[in-house]
Amino acid sequence: MNRVSFLIKTAIRDSRKDRGKLIMFMSSIILGIAALVAINSFNDNLVRDIDNQAKSLLGADLVVSGNRPASEAVRAAFDSLPGEKATEVELFSMAYFGSADETQFVKIKAFEGNFPFYGEILTDPEDAAGRFRSGPYALVDEGLMIQMGLSPGDPVKLGESIFEIIGQLKNDIGAAGISSSFAPPVYISSQYLEETNLVQPGSLVDYAYYAKLPEDIDPDLWEESHRAEFRNDNMRISTVEEEKEDLNEAFDALNNFLNLVALVSLLLGCLGVASSVFIYIKNKISSIAVFRCLGMKGRDAFFIYLFQIFVLGAVSVIAGIILGSAIQVFLPMIMSDLLPFEVSTSMSWGAILEGFIIGIVITVLFSLLPLVSVRKISPLRTLRTGFETEREKGDPLKWAIHALIFTTILTFLWVLTGSLKDASIFASGLLASFLGLYLAARLLMWAIRRFFPVKWSFVFRQGLSNLYRPNNQTRTLLVSIGLGTAVLTTLFIIQGLLLENVSGMDAGNQPNMILYGIERDQAEELARITDSFDMPIIQQLPIVTMDLEAWKGRSKKEWLADTTANIRRWAATREARVTYRDYVDANEELVEGTFVGTRKSPGDSIFISLGEDYARGLDVGIGDEITWNVQGLRMKTYVSSLRSIEFRNMQARFFIVFPTGVLENAPQFQVLVTKSPDIATTAAYRKTVVKAFPNVSVVDLASILSSLNEILDKVSYVIKFMAAFSILTGLIVLISSLLLSKFQRIRESVLLRTIGASRKQILSINATEYFLIGALSAATGILISLLGSWLLARFQLELDFSIRWLPILAVFFIVVSLTTLIGVLNSRDVIRKSPLEVLRNV
Amino acid sequence: MDKSTLMEEILVVRDVSKHYQSGEKDLTVLQQIDFTIQSGERVAIVGPSGSGKTTLLGLCAGLDMPSTGTIALCGTMLNPLTEDERAFLRNKHVGFIFQNFQLIPTLTAIENVMIPLELKGTKGAAETARKLLERVRLGDRLHHYPAQLSGGEQQRVSLARAFSNAPSILFADEPTGNLDDETSHGVENLLFELNREQGTTLVIVTHDMELARKTDRIIQLKGGQIVQDAAVTELPTTR
């Protein structure tokens, strides 16, 4: 008989009665691969859809945009392009909905021309998209209309004009889903924008010029030839190709996150594979010894079990691929709030192939560790069951497999993140977590032996000693349960931190409301209104907008053209919003120079104070000269001081502070910062202000917080859904390890039953063992997650670190309960059946 | 050793000792064991618990290697062989019977018997196995798993498996140690019947003197050393 066919036949025969024991092994692979395939399929579809839909997302072939109207030169260049054109003016303002008597901070988009050229504005009723440009009509965000109970025909007041709402806006061209949470969009025709009186000097307005080009014009070539010139005018050119790149870049983070989730599931799956195969082989040792005794070579025995694992692994990988392909259909629905367009759900053969290859590699790789021991199982075990081969300990092949596993994970991460550094950090973190958990297990085992409570009751002593006796599962369980707990807790902690850092801004006497766009003649009345609500005026400052023209003897153009200059583009090109005052604010600290508060006489030099980051961005220091263009008037100034600025609470901050006695007569608007005692006052105050001064925008922290909460809820929903893969795989690993450990414990439990232990005693012994494993795993996992979250918060997210104990305690409680419960359920065979019945089967 | 001599002498044990490392201590289990077994001979190794009987059996069958001394089995020196080469030799020449039967629980009776034949690449393994199982009166239990068989039946499957590859030498470790008297007699009778039929050399480790006396020669161990090596006929008959 052919040797290989004999080995395969033996592998099949041998596995016949034991396949059930590998169900958990299969489940681990199925879940891990399902996560990977689902996520990769989703990512593939996302990339393909970005490719297909970028044009309709941009709405045009080319867009020129900036935060001020295009200069004559820019406009001339743009107008020289052939094809259809359109413009859009976008600004943020308050809207007053008379029928609901409610106000809302909104994003107004005013269109001129037949924009979008590609894709469409979706409205209800459908014809509203075509009609809103024909009169003083508005399209209002669908969510906002539902929230305020608005319907077509209702009025909306924007600035000083009243518009009729003619439809619900179902999509916002060029915006990701989440941005509408901050300020829902309202579309109007640009011919009615001026009447609103919202566009004033200093208003935060964005301008976009759209072009639909004939096919013979390459937008990217045009962009390339005009980029530098437009950039000097603070205008940006976007093309469909750039939009694709931007979108791909924007979704890279999501993509990476999802891939990491898949990786964690996969790694937990690997853990499941290794632990299941380990126990499976342990249960096969006597059979292998007999095979060896009867003359089977070590490598043949190894092949038999490798074949079993490989076949079941391959079946599981295929099942995982099918499940993953099914799940990916639901991912776009779950993520719809985060996506600017619908993602298709077609099968991705690339993802399937990748899943198959990774699945097989991982199955074989992680099975190899326990499988190589098969080669070394001595036939002498047939005579002496306790015989251990000492040679096993120094098996160089095992070290090689360990190294191979680490290298594979590192390579996989490298491919995933595109950065060897990031991959190394993540892999090292993972390795450190594994080691931490492993060491915790060793420490526990050592501590129990060393400080064994000899005077405790028999039941507790038995449960405790199970943790270090031969065939214990302490290390495997601690690592698998601990890792799952660490992943889950980290998610909770980070989510909590994000919310807490924002809500902390409202604490104590910190301001929680900011009003901007106040005209000079409105300031006094607004102060009176604020006072009438018994609210303090924490800040009331003028803002003058100006352009940076030259510094240190070189014009801005020269600076920007000099590629060796040590300056930041954002600092050089931004429109400067300047205030003037004669004091250093409480949120600021003078770090260098002297703060000059007042210019004594008109002929004196003007000494200004800069934020240190801004000064660094311009590469200027104390005494350097800066020339500004204040709405047509040139003004030479000197840097007299640098300030560090605290950005933690809600106040107006200024990189550039002029002394009093310079800008008082320049065109300006004001900003007012106050604190509202409660939500009701906020609503009433906001309504009064908007009714009296429709041009004034009121931003309150409560609505920012609620928007942020909404966004975080959406994001955390996605995170939780994806983390469910990890949790489920972790659970499978948990059940798998615990169920298989049953085979280690059952004989002892039966013997105890035989010699008179009661059901309660058996249950208590098992409960003690698994409670301790659960508690230590959860505690170590939580510790690791605390450390990981702290590192993330400190170095990656730059958040203040604090801990919300309630969700952590909940995780601890759930993990411990689940571990104990499953552990106790393991004993049900021993308890339900008679000892004789069980003894015959073990 | 002279090769022509080895053909007659199926097992040659020369000056064999076996030490184990137990913690810090060096434990000597066997000391300077020296004996030869001729082809077709039936030998019992007896001695009290801990005397080194099973260790000696393991060494003779090539399941383990001596610390010092040499062993030649079926004309081949075991010392220089690797574990896989010894496995090949076992499959070719050696049969085993164990006290605890050592049947593979996931294989049926007939599949257990077929293993040595299939390992050897013998054709018609199933037919040979079936005949052997019928010979041990288990023709109606061919497809039963070990857990579905009684102890005596399991040991008869084990007997069939041991003889399936027509071994030159058969090692039996306490073959009736786990069986009641009546079943033991049945298994013993079958063992000697098959041994006669196939002309196999038989090495039995036992502390059952009654079983030992059914062989031709008894090697008695005590404290890891041979204290007596004599033909059964030379020994006084005691009950």
Side-chain angles (χ1 to χ4, degrees), chain A residues 13-14 16 292 298 382, chain B residues 83-84 90 102 111 118:
Chain A
R13 283 177 192 155
D14 179 74
R16 217 165 24 206
R292 301 280 283 132
T382 49
Chain B
E83 173 49 46
D84 279 346
R90 282 199 296 273
Q102 295 290 14
E111 285 167 351
E118 290 183 313

Side-chain angles (χ1 to χ4, degrees), chain A residues 491-508:
Chain A
L491 287 177
F492 280 128
I493 294 177
I494 293 295
Q495 194 186 339
L497 281 183
L498 284 170
L499 280 172
E500 218 158 84
N501 271 259
V502 179
S503 57
M505 285 164 67
D506 195 18

Side-chain angles (χ1 to χ4, degrees), chain A residues 1-20 22 280-281 284 287-288 291 296 299-313 371 374, chain B residues 104-108 111-112 114-115 118-119 145:
Chain A
M1 189 199 289
N2 181 311
R3 185 158 206 83
V4 175
S5 80
F6 158 68
L7 292 176
I8 291 172
K9 205 184 277 180
T10 309
I12 295 167
R13 283 177 192 155
D14 179 74
S15 71
R16 217 165 24 206
K17 280 192 85 186
D18 282 345
R19 274 172 219 162
L22 285 170
Y280 181 71
I281 293 299
K284 288 285 182 187
S287 295
I288 296 166
F291 279 131
M296 187 177 279
R299 64 163 186 268
D300 289 346
F302 169 73
F303 177 83
I304 285 176
Y305 292 97
L306 179 67
F307 181 80
Q308 287 181 3
I309 297 298
F310 180 82
V311 171
L312 288 179
L371 276 177
V374 169
Chain B
I104 293 171
T106 50
L107 303 187
T108 59
E111 285 167 351
N112 264 288
M114 282 161 67
I115 294 171
E118 290 183 313
L119 270 171
Y145 286 99

